[in-house]
Amino acid sequence: EEMQGISSYLERILNATTLETLEGVGNHIKEASLDFTALQTDKLRTAYKNKKDSLTVKEKTEEKN
């Protein structure tokens, strides 16, 4: 039930295809973060960090090619 409140944000994080898009999602999350529980905030931070790491690796790999 707690994750239902953040499911749309998690989807947007997972669907981000560039670091710029992900940053925009992060800004929206920051604006809404006062309404989140500690567990929800932690889940969003983890998902955001993992996606950012993934996109960073992907973009660095594309730069080399």
Side-chain angles (χ1 to χ4, degrees), residues 9 23-36 48:
Y9 291 108
E23 190 174 307
V25 173
N27 290 336
H28 285 279
I29 291 170
K30 284 179 190 172
E31 291 172 12
S33 65
L34 293 176
D35 297 330
F36 299 148
Y48 184 91

Side-chain angles (χ1 to χ4, degrees), residues 44-57:
L44 287 168
R45 280 187 181 139
T46 301
Y48 184 91
K49 181 189 177 308
N50 291 340
K51 185 65 174 190
K52 184 176 181 180
D53 291 348
S54 170
L55 288 174
T56 300
V57 168

